[in-house]
Amino acid sequence: MKEIVVLGAGYGGVLTAKKLAKRFKKDQDIRIRLIDRKPFHTMMTELHEVAAGRVDEDAIKMDLNKIFAGLKVDIVLDEITNIDFKSNKLQGKRDTYKYDHLVIGTGCKPSFFGIPGAEEHSFSLWSFEDAVKLKQQIRQMFMDATKVTDPEMRKQMLTFVVVGAGFTGVEMIGELAEYREQLCKEFYVDESEVRLVVADMAPKILPILPQNLIDKADKYLRKMKVEIITGTKISGVTPNSVILGEDNEIKSSTVIWTAGVEGSDLVGNLDVQQQGRKRILTNDKLQSVDYDNVYVVGDNIFYIPEGEERPVPQMVENAEHSAGLIAHNLVCDIKGGTQKSYKPAFHGTMVSIGGRYGVAAVGTPKKLFHFSGFLAMFFKHMINIVYFLQVLGFNKVWTYLMHEVFHIENRRSFVGGHFSKRSPNFWLVPLRIYVGVMWLLQGWEKAGKLLKDPSQMFLIPPKAMDGVTAATEAVDAVHSTVDAQTAASAVEGASTAIKAIPVPDFIKGMVDWSMDLMFYTSDGGYTSLAYIFQGCMVAAEVIFGIMLILGLFTAIAAIGTCAMSVMIYTSGMAPYEMFWYFFGGIALIGGSGSTFGLDYYLYPRLKRIWKKIPIVRRWYLYTD
């Protein structure tokens, strides 16, 4: 049996393992193992959101067992301490693992560049644990500041310095600037007492972005009362300060280090050629130049594509592209075929500065477009969603939207708090019952008509019916002394057509065409399908009414209410009261049956049963 080991459950490792599992799903002689210290995959690009309290801690974690449910990937929890490339073995703290093909994706760790005290006295932001620890530190400083009487100590506690003005540093200080208002209210601290600083040796923040976006980010940070210090050497960090230049000491109990990264300790100690900051030198197939059965994915790659001057960047899109190429080349190694060379084409970069603002340069590899504010944040969220669809499908997209939009607090979202206002569902109970009763009464009345005369047609208008035609038919019917019932029906049709909600001509044309095709005979009568359709509509009114009254599958009944309202409207026979049904249905979609309804009891049980279905777990078609 061939053993493929993917080392590291970061962006590149997870995607590589998933793609390999799909390519080898029918091969019983292939075993794929993913080894990591943790049982979850972390959204590294969202760590600042946890650290500054925008989202819950669980929002940036994805359970590996959920990600690989139904896939032929064995999850192994262990910390690898050494790799023997000559004997194809990995030594872990728990066991030894043999491999035929290895993919290294252990990622990076913070780089402190030998600056005195930086590693010992600063808070890094490069893991889930880092984010949680930093969040606790920030809150603790506000809590402690309310207790101290020494003004200098209070000032030190309420001063927060971020070292590094790249993507991570700017995102962290931006989140902290937003978080400040909430913390000050919670701990009764005047906002003017809180000092936020971002410092970097580079001459400007976000140096790889276009200058116009740098200027916008700079302006926004200053508007948020963030001090920006650039072009200044970081000389050292002490337990209660950071030293800039020769003698500029900023007193702070919280120094956050985001000044750069290097390869993991494991990679740094491996017997393979490396360049840059502990990055493994690869060929164009992303194989280690020393061992052709060892591939490198994501941040650990050091490879300069043909025609480029710099190595591939350490960013998520590089991990995504390299994962696909490695999966293809590994299949070629085992089954035969032509390997591909790595020719990444990147589509831009995005930086969020808090939850409400961001800057982005996105587009095609040849043409990038610059955005700021709402559009920049929109693209950032959309790109995250694209990644989630690859990893955990609908399940993660749903929870992501809950965390970022619908359950966000203090309006810390690019859409503000418009979608996160929550009120108890019991306020919707009267509306739910009202709409249900109205449907039931209407359906019951129509059902009585059908039982009395199944050939009677009252839901589908006569062919070519409009206000003028209907009125003309009514007059003709009366003047022709047709029987009283026919005349009354014609007059009623005219009244309905005249009082109905107007329908645009282009919609009316499409509806008339479809009704001619399905519901009308050549002599102007009705087809059998028309009578079946009418019976189904009447039954639906009764059923939806009962469902809404009982609070049973309320979302389905509410969606059905909206759909039926639209159908009746497009037929040209909808009275203005139909607006009540349509907008009432929209209001009832979001769980109105979960209070004083059968959904309260039924949904939890159905959810448990649903999640046990293999195909549901395989395609992540559930919510947590």
Side-chain angles (χ1 to χ4, degrees):
M1 176 176 285
K2 291 282 187 181
E3 296 276 358
I4 301 175
V5 174
V6 179
L7 183 55
Y11 291 95
V14 165
L15 286 176
T16 301
K18 289 206 72 171
K19 293 176 185 296
L20 287 171
K22 291 178 181 178
R23 299 291 291 271
F24 289 118
K25 64 181 178 180
K26 295 182 180 180
D27 297 275
Q28 299 302 316
D29 59 341
I30 302 292
R31 182 184 183 186
I32 303 168
R33 284 194 283 192
L34 176 67
I35 302 177
D36 197 274
R37 293 176 298 166
K38 303 171 186 175
F40 55 85
H41 168 55
T42 304
M43 284 294 296
M44 300 289 289
T45 57
E46 315 303 314
L47 291 174
H48 55 279
E49 296 187 22
V50 168
R54 174 145 63 104
V55 299
D56 295 335
E57 295 170 7
D58 289 341
I60 63 171
K61 295 195 302 182
M62 286 181 265
D63 187 343
L64 293 178
N65 287 320
K66 285 175 61 176
I67 291 174
F68 293 99
L71 294 178
K72 196 176 68 173
V73 176
D74 296 332
I75 308 299
V76 178
L77 300 181
D78 200 352
E79 181 176 355
I80 302 302
T81 56
N82 187 47
I83 302 175
D84 186 342
F85 294 106
K86 294 181 180 178
S87 61
N88 290 353
K89 291 182 179 179
L90 297 96
Q91 182 61 53
K93 289 186 175 181
R94 295 182 177 180
D95 206 345
T96 300
Y97 310 93
K98 185 171 177 56
Y99 67 86
D100 294 293
H101 300 272
L102 174 65
V103 180
I104 299 176
T106 56
C108 295
K109 69 168 191 173
S111 179
F112 298 96
F113 307 102
I115 295 174
E119 185 170 4
E120 296 83 0
H121 305 305
S122 65
F123 292 84
S124 56
L125 188 61
W126 202 252
S127 70
F128 173 78
E129 292 78 12
D130 286 347
V132 174
K133 182 179 179 181
L134 182 53
K135 177 182 178 180
Q136 293 170 345
Q137 166 69 10
I138 292 168
R139 293 185 61 82
Q140 190 65 48
M141 288 301 96
F142 273 84
M143 187 182 299
D144 291 347
T146 62
K147 302 174 184 178
V148 300
T149 56
D150 182 355
E152 289 301 315
M153 178 58 69
R154 181 181 173 93
K155 182 178 179 181
Q156 176 182 310
M157 289 178 172
L158 295 176
T159 297
F160 301 87
V161 180
V162 174
V163 177
F167 286 9
T168 304
V170 168
E171 289 187 323
M172 183 62 228
I173 199 68
E175 288 289 346
L176 197 49
E178 274 190 1
Y179 197 26
R180 171 175 49 196
E181 179 182 359
Q182 178 182 340
L183 289 170
C184 287
K185 287 181 179 179
E186 183 177 349
F187 294 102
Y188 304 99
V189 173
D190 193 301
E191 285 192 43
S192 63
E193 293 186 82
V194 182
R195 184 184 181 190
L196 303 179
V197 181
V198 59
D200 202 305
M201 292 180 62
K204 53 189 176 182
I205 65 172
L206 303 171
I208 72 169
L209 286 182
Q211 187 60 47
N212 66 319
L213 294 182
I214 293 174
D215 293 340
K216 289 182 178 182
D218 186 287
K219 181 179 179 181
Y220 187 78
L221 284 173
R222 295 183 190 278
K223 180 182 177 181
M224 297 281 284
K225 299 179 181 178
V226 173
E227 296 178 39
I228 300 174
I229 302 174
T230 54
T232 302
K233 178 183 177 183
I234 313 300
S235 302
V237 181
T238 73
N240 53 20
S241 70
V242 58
I243 302 169
L244 307 179
E246 297 299 325
D247 54 5
N248 181 13
E249 183 177 21
I250 299 177
K251 291 288 186 179
S252 172
S253 297
T254 309
V255 177
I256 305 168
W257 194 268
T258 65
V261 295
E262 61 185 36
S264 64
D265 289 334
L266 173 65
V267 168
N269 294 326
L270 294 179
D271 184 22
V272 290
Q273 294 185 55
Q274 301 180 25
Q275 289 192 25
R277 299 175 191 161
K278 301 179 184 178
R279 299 171 70 179
I280 300 174
L281 186 63
T282 73
N283 60 21
D284 62 323
K285 307 299 188 294
L286 298 186
Q287 297 162 307
S288 163
V289 295
D290 300 298
Y291 304 97
D292 60 8
N293 67 334
V294 176
Y295 288 85
V296 187
V297 69
D299 289 353
N300 294 132
I301 299 169
F302 188 95
Y303 170 65
I304 302 176
E306 184 178 352
E308 300 290 336
E309 297 180 355
R310 304 178 64 181
V312 292
Q314 293 169 298
M315 56 191 291
V316 175
E317 194 174 10
N318 176 52
E320 293 180 274
H321 291 334
S322 58
L325 182 95
I326 289 171
H328 170 82
N329 287 347
L330 253 172
V331 171
C332 294
D333 277 347
I334 296 172
K335 294 187 173 184
T338 304
Q339 290 189 328
K340 295 180 180 179
S341 296
Y342 191 42
K343 299 176 181 178
F346 301 117
H347 297 83
T349 51
M350 295 131 289
V351 183
S352 62
I353 308 174
R356 307 184 187 107
Y357 188 85
V359 292
V362 295
T364 67
K366 294 183 179 180
K367 177 65 176 177
L368 295 179
F369 301 92
H370 301 168
F371 301 97
S372 61
F374 176 88
L375 284 176
M377 293 300 293
F378 174 80
F379 283 119
K380 178 178 173 64
H381 287 302
M382 287 304 300
I383 288 171
N384 280 344
I385 286 173
V386 169
Y387 175 73
F388 294 143
L389 286 171
Q390 298 177 74
V391 176
L392 201 51
F394 168 78
N395 177 268
K396 182 56 186 177
V397 172
W398 176 262
T399 57
Y400 180 74
L401 291 175
M402 291 297 107
H403 286 298
E404 295 287 346
V405 178
F406 298 113
H407 291 172
I408 203 74
E409 295 182 353
N410 300 299
R411 303 183 179 183
R412 293 177 65 182
S413 168
F414 75 115
V415 291
H418 295 291
F419 293 95
S420 61
K421 297 294 184 183
R422 283 179 278 180
S423 59
N425 282 336
F426 62 73
W427 291 115
L428 293 173
V429 172
L431 177 63
R432 188 193 83 211
I433 295 175
Y434 170 76
V435 175
V437 168
M438 293 302 293
W439 271 136
L440 183 59
L441 291 177
Q442 287 207 26
W444 195 262
E445 179 186 359
K446 293 169 185 173
K449 291 181 181 180
L450 285 180
L451 290 174
K452 185 176 181 181
D453 181 8
S455 65
Q456 185 179 5
M457 179 60 66
F458 47 81
L459 285 184
I460 300 175
K463 189 173 183 179
M465 174 67 75
D466 57 32
V468 176
T469 305
T472 301
E473 288 184 4
V475 173
D476 290 344
V478 174
H479 282 298
S480 300
T481 63
V482 183
D483 63 86
Q485 183 178 357
T486 304
S489 176
V491 172
E492 183 181 357
S495 175
T496 300
I498 293 170
K499 294 180 181 179
I501 303 171
V503 180
D505 289 340
F506 76 95
I507 294 179
K508 187 176 184 301
M510 290 188 292
V511 173
D512 287 346
W513 174 82
S514 62
M515 293 178 72
D516 282 342
L517 185 66
M518 295 185 293
F519 295 155
Y520 299 129
T521 59
S522 58
D523 60 356
Y526 295 102
T527 64
S528 298
L529 182 60
Y531 289 102
I532 294 173
F533 177 79
Q534 177 175 258
C536 291
M537 288 286 286
V538 172
E541 290 182 6
V542 174
I543 292 171
F544 287 157
I546 294 173
M547 290 169 68
L548 288 171
I549 292 170
L550 297 178
L552 177 65
F553 297 117
T554 316
I556 296 174
I559 293 171
T561 293
C562 296
M564 286 180 59
S565 301
V566 172
M567 290 172 63
I568 296 171
Y569 161 71
T570 57
S571 73
M573 298 180 66
Y576 281 89
E577 290 81 1
M578 193 54 61
F579 283 128
W580 276 97
Y581 290 90
F582 179 75
F583 292 110
I586 291 176
L588 296 174
I589 289 175
S592 59
S594 62
T595 303
F596 298 111
L598 295 182
D599 287 347
Y600 177 84
Y601 305 97
L602 186 61
Y603 272 9
R605 297 183 181 184
L606 290 179
K607 193 173 183 179
R608 288 194 294 269
I609 296 171
W610 178 257
K611 289 176 68 174
K612 292 179 180 178
I613 301 173
I615 193 171
V616 170
R617 293 192 60 79
R618 171 67 181 81
W619 292 101
Y620 317 113
L621 301 175
Y622 59 92
T623 59
D624 294 319

